[in-house]
Structures are given as C-alpha cells and as structure tokens.
Amino acid sequence: MTKTIEKLEKSITEENGMLQPRIDKIRAAIAEDHNVLNTFAERFVQAVQDEAMDSHFE
C-alpha cells in the first residue's frame, strides 16, 4: 500500500512539473490580455472625456 502511494505521489509530482510551464504561460497570457483590456478601457474613457470637453467648449 505504501509503495503504491509513493508511486502515485511521484507520478503526481512529475505531472505537476510538466504542467507548470503550461500553467505559467496561460497565466502570463491572461495577465497580458488583462493589461490590454485595461489599456483599451483607459484610452476609450480618455477619448470620451476629451470629446466631451471639446464639445463643451464649442
């Protein structure tokens, strides 16, 4: 029983080691997408505010 548990633990550890680089890439991609969305949102809000200011002074 102990040998089986040790084999399973070793297998799980190896699988985690193989999956970790993929997980890291996915996390980095999500963070990048999040940054892109935030940048777009900030630019959009700024453009709307700029337009509102321009039309206010016309």
Side-chain angles (χ1 to χ4, degrees):
M1 184 74 161
T2 304
K3 290 270 188 206
T4 304
I5 292 172
E6 288 173 1
K7 284 181 182 178
L8 285 172
E9 286 175 342
K10 183 180 178 191
S11 176
I12 289 169
T13 301
E14 288 173 359
E15 286 230 7
N16 284 346
M18 290 187 305
L19 290 175
Q20 195 59 49
R22 289 182 183 172
I23 292 168
D24 292 343
K25 284 182 182 178
I26 292 169
R27 284 185 176 148
I30 290 169
E32 185 176 326
D33 286 350
H34 185 69
N35 288 339
V36 168
L37 288 174
N38 281 344
T39 300
F40 173 78
E42 289 167 3
R43 289 181 180 169
F44 179 78
V45 168
Q46 188 61 50
V48 169
Q49 289 173 343
D50 290 349
E51 183 64 30
M53 291 294 287
D54 291 345
S55 65
H56 179 73
F57 288 112
E58 288 180 357

